[in-house]
Amino acid sequence: MILTCAAIAIALFFAMNIGASGTAAAMGAAYGGGAIQNKKLAMLIVGAAALLGAVLGGGEVVKTIGGGIISSSILTVEIVIIILASATLTLFIANLMGVPLSTSEVTVGSIVGIGLAYKSLFVSKLAVIISFWIAVPLVSFSVAYVLGRLIKIAEVKWPYLSRQGKWQRWLGRLLVIGGALEAFSAGMNNVANAVGPLVGAGLMSVSAGVWMGGIFVALGAVLLGGKVLETNGKKITRLSLLQGSAVSFTSGGLVIIASLLGIPVPLVQATTCAIMGVGTADNGFKLWQKRVIHQIAKVWIVSPVSSLVVAYAMVHLWLQPNPYVLIVIISVFITTLGLMNLSQTIRKEKSAIHDQRGGI
């Protein structure tokens, strides 16, 4: 009973953090562009949309996380705790080191680590998930690029679309709807990361899982997402209202499609690539976009590998003690994150040197 309560508590804490980070960012473009100026109202819209997405369409991804990657027969309470704790611990350590990771990829990595430890892994399903991780960012960039070109043509032909006036109010409302769509898609896809293992272990039904997970994702967005909204909004204020709408509808639509197919995908990467697509259509391919591509590639690799290593290590630490395997695994984990941190430090130093030379 104590372990069951612990598993549920970790899952709900994880859900709140998902809401506070990824889901809250959905309204960043609308808030940063001034389409919605009341932060509390923005977060309430995000929370409501995320809950609605979880309840109406989160079931398929929950089933995948709960039994589509590894057999649900090995999902005991202890295994569920290891999966959730591995994902949470990996994200926590990465945050301390300043390394951004994807929640969906970290969760899948934890489950794969369990599957490898117990030699029970549905490779074909995993291959489909990985193919979506590659395809979604590429499609997001391509669709946003096309929309960006059309927007550029439209704003040249009808200049009032980019000026202050009554059209700006309507375009602002369109952008708020796009942000709500992104939050809806995040609820559909990301709530499974928290409650999927609980459902797979039979600790709750799919219906109860999406409701409970959706409520706590929404609470995380409303209560803890304000700072993320401020930060994300400032980063993408360079987008016009139409461009921001293109980004939100592109990334949100792609994640909804993946959710209906039961595939967990990273919303943040889809959104980032959509922003790059619109930016490329407007100003061409820039140096900062190359850096973003490198960062996405690193996150794509490090997110699942890090949590996989942690989950595998926790199995050998708790359920199948093997000190030799444990030492090797921990060394690999620390080395991987350390190299990521070193890479970021070197890049910052190069940037500082470049700025100093520019000043001279």
Side-chain angles (χ1 to χ4, degrees), residues 175-194:
L175 182 53
V176 171
I177 293 172
L181 180 71
E182 266 197 278
F184 181 89
S185 71
M188 285 184 70
N189 204 273
N190 290 345
V191 71
N193 296 325

Side-chain angles (χ1 to χ4, degrees), residues 247-335:
V247 168
S248 294
F249 280 100
T250 298
S251 56
L254 289 173
V255 173
I256 287 174
I257 293 172
S259 301
L260 292 174
L261 297 174
I263 307 296
V265 294
L267 172 62
V268 173
Q269 292 183 15
T271 302
T272 302
C273 288
I275 292 173
M276 288 175 54
V278 168
T280 302
D282 193 28
N283 298 309
F285 197 80
K286 303 296 183 181
L287 179 60
W288 68 268
Q289 292 171 308
K290 293 182 180 179
R291 291 196 294 266
V292 171
I293 291 173
H294 291 159
Q295 184 67 20
I296 289 176
K298 291 176 184 177
V299 171
W300 190 91
I301 296 171
V302 173
S303 292
V305 171
S306 299
S307 59
L308 183 158
V309 170
V310 172
Y312 194 86
M314 291 183 74
V315 168
H316 288 285
L317 176 65
W318 185 10
L319 303 179
Q320 300 175 359
N322 188 327
Y324 300 105
V325 172
L326 188 61
I327 291 172
V328 173
I329 290 172
I330 292 176
S331 299
V332 170
F333 175 75
I334 294 175
T335 301

Side-chain angles (χ1 to χ4, degrees), residues 129-251:
I129 292 173
I130 293 175
S131 68
F132 266 77
W133 288 355
I134 298 172
V136 166
L138 293 175
V139 173
S140 181
F141 177 89
S142 302
V143 172
Y145 176 81
V146 172
L147 292 177
R149 295 292 296 177
L150 294 175
I151 289 170
K152 189 172 183 178
I153 293 171
E155 289 180 343
V156 171
K157 189 172 184 179
W158 300 293
Y160 54 80
L161 291 175
S162 57
R163 297 173 185 167
Q164 294 296 327
K166 65 177 184 178
W167 282 101
Q168 292 298 292
R169 290 195 297 271
W170 286 105
L171 292 176
R173 291 167 186 167
L174 179 66
L175 182 53
V176 171
I177 293 172
L181 180 71
E182 266 197 278
F184 181 89
S185 71
M188 285 184 70
N189 204 273
N190 290 345
V191 71
N193 296 325
V195 300
L198 298 176
V199 173
L203 301 180
M204 60 178 63
S205 65
V206 173
S207 177
V210 294
W211 268 103
M212 187 175 294
I215 288 172
F216 275 82
V217 166
L219 284 174
V222 172
L223 299 178
L224 306 173
K227 187 174 181 180
V228 175
L229 182 67
E230 287 279 0
T231 303
N232 203 60
K234 291 176 181 177
K235 285 182 178 179
I236 55 181
T237 51
R238 63 182 179 273
L239 298 178
S240 70
L241 296 179
L242 269 177
Q243 289 174 329
S245 299
V247 168
S248 294
F249 280 100
T250 298
S251 56

